[in-house]
Amino acid sequence: MAQKPSVPRGTRDFSPAEMLRRNYIFDIIRRTFSLYGYLPLETPAMENLSTLLGKYGEEGDRLIFRILNSGNFLSGMEPSTLVGADSAFLAKHFSEKGLRYDLTVPFARYVVQHRNEISFPFRRYQIQPVWRADKPQKGRYREFFQCDADVIGSDSLLNEFELIRIIDHVFSELKINVIIKVNNRKILAGIAATAGAGDRITDITVAIDKLEKIGSEGVRQELLQRGITPDVIERLDPFLSLRGSAASKLSGLKREIAASPEGQKGLAEMEELFSYLGMEPTEARVELDLSLARGLNYYTGTIIEVKADDMVIGSICGGGRYDDLTGIFGLPGVSGVGISFGADRIYDVMLHLGLFPEQTGAATEVLVINFGGEELMELIKIAVALRDAGIATELFPDAVRLKKQFSYADAQNIPMVIIAGSNELKAGQATVRNMKTGEQTTMSLSALPEFIREVKSH
RNA sequence: GUGGUUGUAGCUCAGUUGGUUAGAGCGCCAGAUUGUGGAUCUGGAGGUCGCCGGUUCGACCCCGGUCUUCCACCCCA
């Protein structure tokens, strides 16, 4: 116990059983992305700090893992400059690279860097780990996987519509009941402007975003704390209490924020999006939630967030439109929109709700009992023939007692065991034991693959 | 980043207001059953009580530090 090795805080090993279930999730997401025409992309685990810093706000910068420079980074540095230097100064001199914090910014970097090779609109999906130097809790890790799909170089709201369809497709295949919340940053800007605080949109949205968690009184306190004046809060109030369908909220808003051109634009976008959704309804409920803001401040239009209906956990998928992301890298005027599935939280939800199918992935289907001795050559041939027939087969590597081999099959959940000892082989036969029912059938060796395929299909 | 919480066998947890060889259930291994798993019975292995240091005649227990877990805030997937 004492000197056991361990992994760093907030990181995890994934056992074979866990990997089979994780791959079940990844496979469904990957298949759905590709069904909608998205292409795979991977980027390095580390990026230059200049790519990363300043993209996620002050809070985000603090959470980026920095990689120490290789070699003697102290060489040529006067000891006197180190005395009294603050950590920001040292970090700048000792570290030039960081672990990626999300997949969207590296994607934007990729697009700008390869703009001449890409034909727009460019759709890509990316399933890779990201790292955040956060304090871990349940459902919050320092290394976790994101599954992103983004399309860049198209302003059309058809993209938003299709991304929502993808979300719906994935969660209905995973059998997770969800609610898809949408909103639009331009509407939020319109609300802020109408309330007379257009310049305080960040403070206002951050506070409003907490509505569900802390209630309307809590939001009021939060707004006050952020220095929003009581008369502005008074004027924000009607927006927070808007109820009803998306259509009725939109028409209500239309009057309220008539004076804000940006707000009107946001409303028009939402109306268009909901008209598409009306034509081709989703399985999950799509709700216009005016309190939805999302922290990442590069979003400029539609914002999307998905919550599980049957379990209290943070959002399991989110996304939105960003107009200016590639602008930071010197390519202005290219609009993008994307979503990101949180695979680790989806895993937690599915585990908690018991939604994983009993057999996930390609576990062994048949174990061939090893009798050793003269039979071994025949047993190898059986295993080869079964694998040729596409049946996942293990030949037990050691000729140990049958009890041990059967226990192994039981522990590994292997559904069928083949017993072919000298008795059976003399007659050119083998016995198949169904481990679930205990039923045993003896047949000729040539009939084995067909028989097992038969049992499998039931 | 702030405040709090947790850590005893592979797993889930007892325990001692500081006193010689630290317990249970489950799991694991062996046997009852030398070609048949999941049930039962019998036996066995496995712990410097997270780590480092301090107080004490003596620490798993008290104190400090550290790592880890989880929680609230912050932020987010």
Side-chain angles (χ1 to χ4, degrees):
Chain A
M1 191 70 190
Q3 267 78 28
K4 250 189 186 172
S6 63
V7 295
R9 161 186 173 77
T11 67
R12 298 150 296 160
D13 289 320
F14 300 113
S15 69
E18 287 167 324
M19 278 312 296
L20 288 174
R21 290 199 287 251
R22 285 173 67 83
N23 284 339
Y24 172 78
I25 296 173
F26 288 134
D27 286 346
I28 285 176
I29 292 173
R30 196 177 288 117
R31 270 207 309 276
T32 308
F33 284 162
S34 110
L35 189 64
Y36 280 77
Y38 288 75
L39 298 170
L41 177 77
E42 291 204 358
T43 62
M46 64 184 96
E47 293 277 350
N48 294 324
L49 279 181
S50 56
T51 301
L52 262 19
L53 290 173
K55 310 300 189 296
Y56 310 102
E58 215 173 297
E59 183 74 17
D61 281 359
R62 222 187 59 216
L63 297 178
I64 291 170
F65 274 108
R66 290 151 196 259
I67 297 170
L68 199 61
N69 290 347
S70 322
N72 184 9
F73 40 78
L74 278 176
S75 75
M77 193 173 283
E78 286 295 320
S80 58
T81 58
L82 294 174
V83 177
D86 63 2
S87 60
F89 171 87
L90 295 175
K92 207 174 135 199
H93 284 265
F94 294 171
S95 169
E96 289 157 353
K97 299 177 290 294
L99 295 176
R100 66 167 166 256
Y101 178 87
D102 73 353
L103 301 178
T104 308
V105 166
F107 172 55
R109 188 224 85 221
Y110 175 89
V111 168
V112 175
Q113 191 176 332
H114 298 272
R115 63 180 109 175
N116 295 328
E117 306 150 34
I118 296 171
S119 56
F120 295 97
F122 179 52
R123 301 156 183 258
R124 80 87 175 77
Y125 74 83
Q126 193 170 349
I127 299 177
Q128 289 190 274
V130 303
W131 294 270
R132 296 185 187 178
D134 220 339
K135 211 164 183 176
Q137 292 179 25
K138 203 182 198 76
R140 170 187 286 194
Y141 307 100
R142 302 181 107 177
E143 177 186 64
F144 62 97
F145 278 71
Q146 288 190 333
C147 314
D148 277 27
D150 290 80
V151 50
I152 200 157
S154 163
D155 292 330
S156 169
L157 285 152
L158 229 40
N159 298 306
E160 271 93 332
F161 166 62
E162 294 212 330
L163 287 168
I164 289 173
R165 302 280 318 166
I166 286 177
I167 292 171
D168 191 51
H169 192 119
V170 165
F171 286 117
S172 76
E173 275 210 37
L174 292 172
K175 305 201 168 29
I176 301 176
N177 296 319
V178 296
I179 170 165
I180 303 171
K181 296 181 173 187
V182 297
N183 195 10
N184 193 299
R185 272 283 166 87
K186 296 190 182 93
I187 292 178
L188 290 171
I191 290 173
T194 304
D199 53 331
R200 305 300 303 278
I201 175 152
T202 304
D203 284 315
I204 290 174
T205 52
V206 166
I208 287 178
D209 197 40
K210 296 180 186 170
L211 181 62
E212 194 180 317
K213 194 170 184 179
I214 59 179
S216 53
E217 191 44 47
V219 171
R220 239 177 291 265
Q221 292 303 320
E222 179 87 21
L223 285 166
L224 277 173
Q225 247 169 46
R226 287 174 178 271
I228 307 295
T229 56
D231 57 311
V232 169
I233 295 174
E234 199 67 31
R235 283 190 296 257
L236 283 171
D237 199 55
F239 299 106
L240 297 182
S241 47
L242 270 179
R243 293 280 181 284
S245 68
S248 74
K249 281 180 193 166
L250 287 170
S251 69
L253 275 170
K254 213 163 209 168
R255 290 190 306 274
E256 301 285 346
I257 61 173
S260 161
E262 193 180 7
Q264 290 296 324
K265 188 155 188 299
L267 283 174
E269 289 181 8
M270 280 297 98
E271 276 174 351
E272 186 182 341
L273 179 57
F274 273 95
S275 77
Y276 296 142
L277 288 166
M279 283 189 307
E280 202 62 52
T282 50
E283 205 164 286
R285 196 163 81 255
V286 180
E287 186 183 291
L288 174 62
D289 183 349
L290 295 173
S291 74
L292 175 62
R294 290 187 64 76
L296 293 170
N297 45 28
Y298 50 65
Y299 291 126
T300 51
T302 310
I303 41 187
I304 304 168
E305 191 163 284
V306 182
K307 292 224 157 147
D309 257 349
D310 307 316
M311 182 181 173
V312 180
I313 192 167
S315 73
I316 52 178
C317 178
R321 179 170 287 277
Y322 39 88
D323 285 333
D324 306 322
L325 195 61
T326 59
I328 304 169
F329 297 117
L331 181 64
V334 180
S335 183
V337 57
I339 53 170
S340 176
F341 289 90
D344 301 271
R345 282 189 183 169
I346 291 173
Y347 182 95
D348 290 345
V349 170
M350 293 188 62
L351 199 65
H352 184 251
L353 299 176
L355 294 176
F356 283 110
E358 220 172 287
Q359 283 285 348
T360 42
T364 301
E365 293 159 313
V366 174
L367 177 75
V368 179
I369 296 290
N370 186 340
F371 285 91
E374 292 171 10
E375 286 86 39
L376 189 53
M377 281 312 172
E378 283 305 315
L379 297 173
I380 291 172
K381 281 185 198 158
I382 291 173
V384 168
L386 290 175
R387 290 177 187 135
D388 283 348
I391 296 159
T393 305
E394 280 182 54
L395 170 58
F396 202 88
D398 306 295
V400 293
R401 295 196 340 273
L402 294 209
K403 182 189 167 85
K404 173 112 185 152
Q405 302 194 38
F406 274 87
S407 298
Y408 173 80
D410 191 47
Q412 300 294 314
N413 248 313
I414 299 173
M416 277 173 281
V417 169
I418 289 181
I419 306 132
S422 53
N423 299 346
E424 288 86 355
L425 288 175
K426 247 178 260 167
Q429 291 183 320
T431 298
V432 178
R433 180 180 177 87
N434 183 324
M435 293 296 280
K436 225 172 236 158
T437 63
E439 196 181 336
Q440 296 198 175
T441 316
T442 303
M443 71 203 66
S444 71
L445 291 178
S446 56
L448 264 182
E450 189 52 38
F451 178 83
I452 285 164
R453 252 200 299 242
E454 235 354 76
V455 176
K456 257 175 70 181
S457 63
H458 286 298

